[in-house]
Amino acid sequence: MIEFRSVSKQYSAHAIALREVSLDIAKGELVYLAGPSGAGKSTLLKMIAAIERPTSGSVLVNGQDIGKLRKEGIPFLRRNLGLIFQQQKLLNDRNILANTMLPLLVTGASKAQAEQRARAALDKVGLLERAKALPLELSGGEQQRVSIARAIVNRPQIILADEPTANLDRASADKVLDALRAFHAVGVTCMISTHDEYVLDGAARVIHLDHGQLVQEQS
Ligand code: ADP
Ligand code: ADP
């Protein structure tokens, strides 16, 4: 479903983020992307969403070469992706139900339909009873679960989560991970990046990155 063929990414003469990375991720897999800060994890995930493009090599999603995608094709690609990136903040002036409805309203769903789907999504991350709360009334972990609800409300085939447990205590992090793993359990392909070792406990597949290189893979 996701394939990297000798992918390198160089931002500038001194910033080489990925070096000849090749990997294959099958439909329905849950894959952790591990490595220290600066290893290239975000860059790798961004390439799947066409936020960054490879300097060389190719990235294929469902057989489609993302590097060759035209601008018009990007919204179609992203509709299939649930993106949980740190820079995608919740809107603090509206409640979490409204935040979760937003991706559906943008793609033309009716308000009633959007509300029903958003409620189902909040239910899946255990926050339905907080639907009317504002983001800042929630803990960091709860806010992160709202981000997950917003990312999956369009029912994407693939979830990409960049350091979803960053800055969370262990109990909150576990709830965030449980929410993500529940989507894997119903067949969604998931990639979760982390620099925290405990996140990898019990993982079936971990891809380790260091200085932009694939160092080791345990299956
Ligand atoms: P990680 O997610 O593992 O922390 P990143 O993919 O964010 O790693 O970064 C990998 C390397 O690429 C780092 O050295 C980082 O400084 C560099 N880098 C990331 N984004 C940019 C950018 N937009 N411009 C220049 N260098 C970047
Ligand atoms: P409905 O709104 O028709 O009741 P749901 O949104 O509740 O449907 O989803 C039905 C089932 O599909 C649930 O068990 C859900 O977990 C599962 N499912 C499969 N793929 C996804 C996805 N990408 N996002 C959310 N749920 C999914």
Side-chain angles (χ1 to χ4, degrees), residues 112-207:
Q113 190 184 25
E115 177 162 346
Q116 190 201 351
R117 298 266 301 269
R119 284 183 180 278
L122 285 172
D123 192 30
K124 282 176 198 149
V125 300
L127 287 174
L128 183 54
E129 68 283 4
R130 306 299 311 275
K132 293 292 159 70
L134 294 169
L136 294 177
E137 293 169 339
L138 303 180
S139 70
E142 288 170 331
Q143 290 180 33
Q144 190 62 293
R145 278 148 61 204
V146 178
S147 300
I148 294 172
R150 187 182 55 181
I152 58 82
V153 76
N154 270 319
R155 297 178 192 162
Q157 290 187 312
I158 299 171
I159 293 176
L160 306 176
D162 191 18
E163 303 257 8
T165 59
N167 310 314
L168 298 182
D169 61 61
R170 185 66 189 269
S172 306
D174 282 340
K175 282 190 189 166
V176 165
L177 292 169
D178 285 346
L180 289 169
R181 288 168 185 150
F183 291 105
H184 166 244
V186 295
V188 181
T189 307
C190 296
M191 290 187 78
I192 303 173
S193 78
T194 186
H195 63 255
D196 290 323
E197 280 298 316
Y198 72 83
V199 171
L200 310 175
D201 282 353
R205 185 173 178 196
V206 182
I207 292 170

Side-chain angles (χ1 to χ4, degrees), residues 11-12 15-17 35-44 46 52 162-163:
Y11 286 106
S12 67
I16 301 174
S37 184
K41 305 182 297 296
S42 291
T43 299
L44 192 152
K46 283 176 181 167
E52 295 290 350
D162 191 18
E163 303 257 8

